[in-house]
Amino acid sequence: MCGIIGAIAQRNVVPILIEGLKALEYRGYDSAGIAIIEKGEVRRVRAKGKLVALEEELAKGSCESPMGIGHTRWATHGVPSVNNAHPHACGDFVLVHNGIIENHQLLKRDQSQHHFESETDSEVIVHLLNDLSGQCDGDLFDLVQKGIQKLQGSYALAVMRTTESDSVVVARHGSPLVIGLGVGENFIASDVLALLPVTSRFIYLEDGDVARISTHSIEIVNAEGQKVDREVKESTLEVGCTTRGEYRHFMLKEIFEQPVVIGEALEGRLSNIKVLDPMLLGASGTKIIELTKRVQIVACGTSYHAGLTAKYWFEQWARIPCEVDIASELRYRKPVVSDGTLLVVISQSGETADTLAVLNEAKSMGYVHSMAICNVPESSMVRGADVSLLTRAGPEVGVASTKAFTTQLVVLAMLAVSLGRRFELTSDFEENVVNQLKQLPSAVSQVLALDGRISILAQTLVHKHHALFLGRGPGYPVAMEAALKLKEISYIHAEAYAAGELKHGPLALVDEDMPVIAVMPDDDLLDKVQSNLSEVRARGGRLLVLTDHDHLEEDEYTTVLNIGTVPKLMRPVVFSVALQLLAYHVAVLRGTDVDRPRNLAKSVTVE
Ligand code: F6R
């Protein structure tokens, strides 16, 4: 949802801004721009489209400065265009913004003397600062502190002023912002990934913070205007962690990383027979689950599908009452919260606006304790929750979530066991889950070895306009996730149904042009799914069946993809990997931009 970057140094920062924007492109990529101050004037270079268009624009002339800000945009207000691209400027001021200014129309009414160059909500901020500078004394740092009092919504912003070429001022409320510390130079960005080439030392700003960044100093005030010191943290991420290596796309690289990162997610958290609560949950988490009587999971998109899968585990393995909701729905639904309900938010980024809002409102909604399952250690959710379980998947760059999803499942399985022990989960069952979790890295490698076969199967889908995914039990959320993956990267319309629902409507869609992809694990529901699939065959439908049943026959209507022997309780993980590959290959064959599908962004920090 837009990425911002800024730098102030004793060298030319333009290459730093551009490299940083490349690392932030996952947050939005419909236009980009940078601003520097040149001979006391603001100079902006902006371009519509992906970052490469901005690079082409920059290549037309020289652009050098020891101080600058940059932005990569995901449009919310106004179409992708040069005028709507950030930075926005007014008078002495130039600004980049990530977030949404909810009262921008109201503010605009007071700014009728200004010419608005863009349709964005962000532009009001720069006019506001310009107006304030005429009304009151104070430097840029003071003006930003005053200006943000008038803003409603969310923002991470960075501002420069032509008359103060020794500092960049930033502010944060509801959108992520880090300060990167260098030697005689300092930086700001939406995400540490953007700054790894220049530093590994970071300050994570808190909501309400405003900071003045100069080459040799950082000054931070909190929401009350008091000077504060924020802890400096060393990042363990390495520069190369966001490069594609030998892979054609980040998504493929991330799919193939799954055996390793699943191993990381398990590392140190299991004994031979048990999930080690202190290692998984820490002391406070262990205390919290002692008090838990039921679980409310909240998430969006793929993370929501992880939650739906875990519901089967919580309920079937351990009889733990569990509800799963989409964050944007739960947020406004006024749920009735029973005593002892643990709120579990699941998020790859830890910044998704709707999920974060639920977490922030958890206490007032009646949840006594909250837990975040998250991939980003310094994210807002990890910092806001009472306890957090990290998925340890490493940075995920492809917009379509893959390794973040399967590691969420792995962590949720461990949580189901830890919590389940306090309910009806037996120690034998626990040992069984632990064994199967340990088999997962090799089971996933075995599925990855089917990549060639899956790429051939993908050819049967490439010219289709629609696809139907079916599953039952835990196979149903797996089918939902597979449909989401296919639609978001291949742009084929895909829907998932609980297989038992087929005859209640969607069967009407089935003909030879509607491929039906069935998730059919060799479990108690196999016969049920088989009869649902007969309903498809009888209507001339074409089936692709994913199964670990070893004697499933193919016929003129049915293609079978046998995914081998699978740890039974962990089937959702293994089946999902095969379906990720299927979506990937269909998208590649259709020639879409797999890592940056149209209209999407990875980190959805707006409501
Ligand atoms: C789809 C995908 C999205 C995210 C969703 C929530 O591949 O990645 O559906 O899962 O936007 O994001 P997080 O998990 O960061 O809260």
Side-chain angles (χ1 to χ4, degrees):
M1 290 308 89
C2 304
I4 70 172
I5 187 157
I8 179 157
Q10 294 162 70
R11 54 178 167 150
N12 177 23
V13 297
V14 173
I16 297 172
L17 299 180
I18 296 300
E19 280 314 300
L21 288 178
K22 281 183 189 159
L24 292 174
E25 224 184 349
Y26 74 89
R27 301 179 68 86
Y29 33 81
D30 58 45
S31 56
I34 62 160
I36 57 168
I37 293 178
E38 202 174 57
K39 296 187 188 124
E41 305 257 317
V42 169
R43 171 151 173 232
R44 290 182 289 166
V45 183
R46 300 180 293 168
K48 180 181 162 189
K50 299 204 169 106
L51 202 62
V52 58
L54 177 65
E55 287 185 286
E56 279 164 19
E57 217 35 58
L58 281 164
K60 291 180 185 164
S62 93
C63 183
E64 291 187 10
S65 173
M67 173 179 164
I69 53 178
H71 188 272
T72 177
R73 180 168 185 254
W74 183 81
T76 56
H77 296 68
V79 296
S81 67
V82 172
N83 277 357
N84 287 334
H86 297 221
H88 294 295
C90 178
D92 299 343
F93 300 87
V94 61
L95 156 143
V96 287
H97 166 232
N98 168 36
I100 289 194
I101 303 305
E102 284 166 2
N103 60 337
H104 70 279
Q105 271 161 337
L106 209 68
L107 292 169
K108 207 167 171 177
R109 255 183 256 155
D110 296 335
Q111 297 177 346
S112 51
Q113 76 283 16
H114 287 290
H115 164 69
F116 275 79
E117 165 193 73
S118 78
E119 305 154 276
T120 66
D121 54 326
S122 312
E123 195 183 342
V124 293
I125 314 172
V126 77
H127 295 309
L128 175 72
L129 291 172
N130 186 61
D131 290 350
L132 280 173
S133 71
Q135 292 159 12
C136 48
D137 293 335
D139 59 14
L140 181 60
F141 195 33
D142 300 320
L143 292 173
V144 171
Q145 289 174 62
K146 286 201 180 88
I148 59 171
Q149 308 296 331
K150 299 194 186 290
L151 303 180
Q152 283 165 18
S154 62
Y155 50 81
L157 47 91
V159 200
M160 299 190 301
R161 189 182 192 184
T162 52
T163 51
E164 296 177 46
S165 58
D166 57 352
S167 57
V168 177
V169 173
V170 298
R172 175 206 157 131
H173 177 77
S175 300
L177 193 60
V178 294
I179 300 174
L181 305 176
V183 178
E185 54 187 20
N186 288 308
F187 313 91
I188 63 98
S190 301
D191 185 332
V192 296
L193 295 177
L195 301 177
L196 289 177
V198 284
T199 184
S200 60
R201 296 169 66 233
F202 296 99
I203 292 173
Y204 295 83
L205 291 180
E206 304 273 324
D207 269 353
D209 284 355
V210 181
R212 188 206 317 255
I213 320 291
S214 309
T215 47
H216 288 87
S217 66
I218 308 282
E219 205 179 329
I220 306 173
V221 294
N222 64 14
E224 284 72 48
Q226 291 152 346
K227 200 167 177 306
V228 284
D229 286 325
R230 300 275 179 230
E231 194 186 343
V232 176
K233 297 197 172 162
E234 193 76 33
S235 170
T236 52
L237 293 171
E238 282 167 22
V239 181
C241 67
T242 54
T243 53
R244 266 190 292 117
E246 78 218 47
Y247 291 94
R248 182 166 172 193
H249 294 101
F250 277 107
M251 183 178 175
L252 189 63
K253 176 179 177 236
E254 288 157 4
I255 291 173
F256 272 82
E257 279 172 358
Q258 288 176 110
V260 173
V261 296
I262 288 172
E264 292 287 326
L266 297 172
E267 181 63 35
R269 289 166 162 175
L270 303 176
S271 76
N272 283 341
I273 53 168
K274 276 173 77 68
V275 173
L276 301 171
D277 289 357
M279 307 308 283
L280 179 70
L281 301 157
S284 58
T286 308
K287 222 177 266 167
I288 284 173
I289 63 167
E290 296 290 351
L291 303 170
T292 298
K293 295 187 190 140
R294 57 186 65 242
V295 173
Q296 169 70 63
I297 295 177
V298 177
C300 303
T302 289
S303 298
Y304 169 66
H305 297 150
L308 287 176
T309 311
K311 177 179 165 73
Y312 289 89
W313 294 338
F314 287 156
E315 292 183 345
Q316 291 181 356
W317 296 356
R319 315 299 301 147
I320 305 166
C322 175
E323 294 298 322
V324 189
D325 273 270
I326 293 169
S328 54
E329 285 299 312
L330 183 100
R331 202 176 157 179
Y332 298 109
R333 210 186 61 205
K334 297 196 174 34
V336 179
V337 179
S338 310
D339 222 27
T341 306
L342 173 66
L343 176 71
V344 178
V345 294
I346 309 175
S347 174
Q348 184 280 131
S349 60
E351 302 293 346
T352 300
D354 286 310
T355 315
L356 185 58
V358 174
L359 179 65
N360 289 341
E361 289 156 29
K363 296 276 184 284
S364 63
M365 286 169 113
Y367 299 103
V368 182
H369 292 118
S370 59
M371 175 181 284
I373 295 183
C374 192
N375 196 36
V376 181
E378 302 300 343
S379 61
S380 302
M381 282 185 220
V382 169
R383 286 183 288 141
D386 296 326
V387 57
S388 55
L389 307 191
L390 294 177
T391 48
R392 304 177 182 166
E396 193 179 63
V397 177
V399 163
S401 189
T402 52
K403 61 176 182 169
F405 172 68
T406 49
T407 51
Q408 284 169 351
L409 290 178
V410 165
V411 167
L412 283 160
M414 290 188 280
L415 177 63
V417 169
S418 284
L419 199 49
R421 235 184 269 129
R422 279 96 181 158
F423 288 76
E424 295 182 25
L425 191 130
T426 63
S427 50
D428 283 353
F429 195 88
E430 173 162 5
E431 188 174 341
N432 197 6
V433 176
V434 166
N435 275 330
Q436 297 199 24
L437 280 168
K438 287 185 172 176
Q439 290 166 37
L440 257 185
S442 67
V444 169
S445 300
Q446 178 187 298
V447 171
L448 294 175
L450 297 173
D451 185 43
R453 168 98 207 279
I454 295 173
S455 69
I456 293 166
L457 291 175
Q459 289 168 8
T460 60
L461 298 179
V462 71
H463 297 300
K464 302 293 179 190
H465 298 293
H466 309 276
L468 201 56
F469 288 78
L470 300 178
R472 287 184 89 126
Y476 174 38
V478 169
M480 291 169 85
E481 172 56 13
L484 175 62
K485 218 84 302 174
L486 184 69
K487 84 179 94 172
E488 74 178 316
I489 59 169
S490 75
Y491 316 148
I492 293 175
H493 167 229
E495 280 194 74
Y497 268 88
E501 277 290 288
L502 193 60
K503 54 186 158 304
H504 300 291
L507 197 53
L509 295 170
V510 169
D511 62 16
E512 60 194 26
D513 288 326
M514 169 67 94
V516 177
I517 297 129
V519 179
M520 197 166 76
D522 185 11
D523 62 11
D524 298 349
L525 294 170
L526 182 100
D527 292 342
K528 304 274 177 207
V529 181
Q530 290 263 43
S531 34
N532 300 138
L533 299 191
S534 307
E535 295 157 10
V536 174
R537 274 190 210 94
R539 272 91 191 162
R542 297 291 183 270
L543 281 162
L544 170 58
V545 182
L546 270 75
T547 187
D548 55 335
H549 185 287
D550 36 359
H551 297 303
L552 210 67
E553 302 277 304
E554 296 202 327
D555 58 34
E556 66 172 301
Y557 298 103
T558 316
T559 305
V560 175
L561 176 65
N562 191 308
I563 60 169
T565 313
V566 168
K568 297 187 185 338
L569 298 170
M570 289 295 112
R571 283 187 181 109
V573 177
V574 186
F575 277 73
S576 294
V577 174
L579 289 158
Q580 291 166 354
L581 283 172
L582 184 68
Y584 171 77
H585 286 296
V586 174
V588 169
L589 288 169
R590 286 168 69 94
T592 60
D593 188 343
V594 174
D595 285 332
R596 290 170 302 184
R598 68 184 179 203
N599 306 339
L600 300 179
K602 187 147 190 76
S603 184
V604 187
T605 53
V606 294
E607 185 176 345

